[in-house]
Amino acid sequence: MNKKGDDAMILNGIGASDGLGLGNAVCIRESVLDYTGVIYAGAEAEKARLLAAVDAFCRDTERMTQKMSGQVGQHEAEILSGHIAMLADPFLRAQLEEKVEQGSVAEQAVDEVCAFYEELFSQADDELVRQRAADVRDIRNRLLGLLLHVKPIDLSALTPHSVLVAPDLTPSMTVGLRAENVAAIVTQSGGRTSHSAILARALGIPAVLGVPNLMNALSDGDRVLVNGGTGEVILNPDAAQAEAYRIWNEASIRERQSLQAYRTRPTENADGRRVSLYANIGSTAQLDEVSSVGAEGIGLFRTEFLFMERSDAPGEEEQYQAYRAVAGAMPERDVLIRTLDIGGDKDVPYLSVGKEENPFLGYRAIRYCLDRPDFFSTQLKALLRAGAEYQNVKIMLPLITSVEEIRAARALLEKCKAELQEKGQVFDRNISLGVMIETPAAVQLADQLAKEADFFSIGTNDLTQYTLAVDRGNAKVEQMYDPLHPAVLRSVRQVISAARKAQIPVGMCGEAAADPKMIPLLLAWGLDEFSVSAPSVLTVRKWISQWSDRQAGELAQRVMELVTTEEIHREIEKMF
Ligand code: PEP
Ligand code: MG
């Protein structure tokens, strides 16, 4: 925290959802859930109170889940239904009952058992497991609220220009929250991949998370300016800062309006050369937004979200329905569905990947799937069937490092086709099988992989991490993580060139596809397809339209003669 001027004070956190927000702080403090005065009514009576509270909890949660899936998205709703699954755990139930049998009131049983799990999860190495501590805290507070008849926090009553300030933002708190009333979100805990960050981005609200000592620094009604890009929270912004916000806000409204003109335009450069512009999605709930921005296909459907926040894997039918929904939403368009990419930072406890020293280099993605052919076949069959109706589904394999992997996947795919055929089920016999290029090994082997794969999609998020040996989630080395590093650029150019020689389509679904500095280079090298998050589609279409082949080609040539990342940034910036 540092002081600026007389009143203005800047708090620093992690910028987790882009944009600026100016408004008045509404501080959500955890309600006092004091049960010291509650008198023990005997084991049976306490058990009955406990059960009634758990039942009410599950009913409320189901109601909230339904509201949430329409309002924010399926994945976010699944976080909530995960709470019901946690409470259904027989071991946890037994622990609660044992406590009341030993003389604890129901409230104390809940408090102590939840504290045990919160402690356990918060010490895990894996960030996603650590985030489950926030879920347990949410469950504890809601159960205690029910037992003590304390009303839960209701954010539906927030008035416009509120800046939501909270220790953490839990999914249950956000039910009923109207995004148009919330100028920004600031929380004391949480990181870039925490539930709060996912929710803020899904709602399109600027957010800064992980601000130390936040709840002591701000009070209700404080005027705050939040910068979700830099992670700054300015308390009592001065006139110049407020004016800067006003100018930014007006410009961003004008920009949003002017971008609407790109909704129905073809994606082409200044010379009228067409490229494809697809969208990345993580759940079927994002399909409406994808259509509303005029995306021309799905370039990446991250299927792991179907497997998360639940206690067992979805079966063939459930997967088929999800993939079919995506294929059906884009009947005339390509739909690239990535096979399960778990491991690394995406933990799915029931799949028992296990704890590893170096999870990003470990048992994950295609390695896990090929090691469990039965499990993998379920997904492949669901994909084959989902492609039957419109023949638009393409299967994409993550983390490929060798020709053997694609051969093994193809062999399994053929086996799945034979099994479906035997059962008389309809499926797409000619389904495309492509690979993600996201490891240095795949870059070096691109010419060989191009003979085996039907298409490439470059995953720069991982390719940058593995090429530069920089953990993509480690804040300490964040400044070294840069897709414009010359080594990454050479890799990207090499992959595009290999695909073109082999005459297979090549796209990019990593975040770099939406980077204005990367776009001219990708255009110059001949990338066929850009796949970006839905909110970026219109902006990327506009940026693409601004480059002629000559301009982009000359810039790419100059850039590739440079040897430092800094020089590359400067050279490209000269063009803006
Ligand atoms: C990538 O690595 O660039 C990618 C698109 O996949 P993910 O971010 O899901 O690892
Ligand atoms: Mg990846």
Side-chain angles (χ1 to χ4, degrees), residues 338 341 438 462 472:
R338 178 174 71 186
D341 186 15
E438 50 183 352
D462 276 320
R472 65 193 257 192

Side-chain angles (χ1 to χ4, degrees), residues 338 341 346 364 398-399 436 438 459 461-463 472:
R338 178 174 71 186
D341 186 15
K346 299 173 199 131
R364 57 168 296 209
L399 204 78
M436 287 194 69
E438 50 183 352
N461 305 343
D462 276 320
L463 184 58
R472 65 193 257 192

Side-chain angles (χ1 to χ4, degrees), residues 280 300 302 304-305 338 341 345-346 360 364 396 398 436-438 457-464 466 472 481 508-512:
N280 295 345
L300 166 65
R302 291 181 161 99
E304 47 281 4
F305 290 100
R338 178 174 71 186
D341 186 15
D345 61 345
K346 299 173 199 131
F360 276 107
R364 57 168 296 209
M396 184 154 81
M436 287 194 69
I437 305 287
E438 50 183 352
S457 183
I458 307 172
T460 45
N461 305 343
D462 276 320
L463 184 58
T464 306
Y466 292 124
R472 65 193 257 192
Y481 181 97
M508 177 177 285
C509 59
E511 296 291 309

Side-chain angles (χ1 to χ4, degrees), residues 224-241:
V224 270
L225 174 58
V226 179
N227 187 332
T230 61
E232 281 182 334
V233 179
I234 304 173
L235 171 62
N236 298 327
D238 58 28
Q241 288 163 329

Side-chain angles (χ1 to χ4, degrees), residues 65-66 68-81 282-286 305-306 309 318:
T65 307
Q66 272 164 17
M68 193 90 157
S69 60
Q71 183 198 15
V72 188
Q74 191 57 31
H75 171 59
E76 289 70 23
E78 279 163 10
I79 297 173
L80 271 183
S81 40
S283 81
T284 48
Q286 288 163 297
F305 290 100
L306 274 177
E309 304 293 343
E318 186 178 342

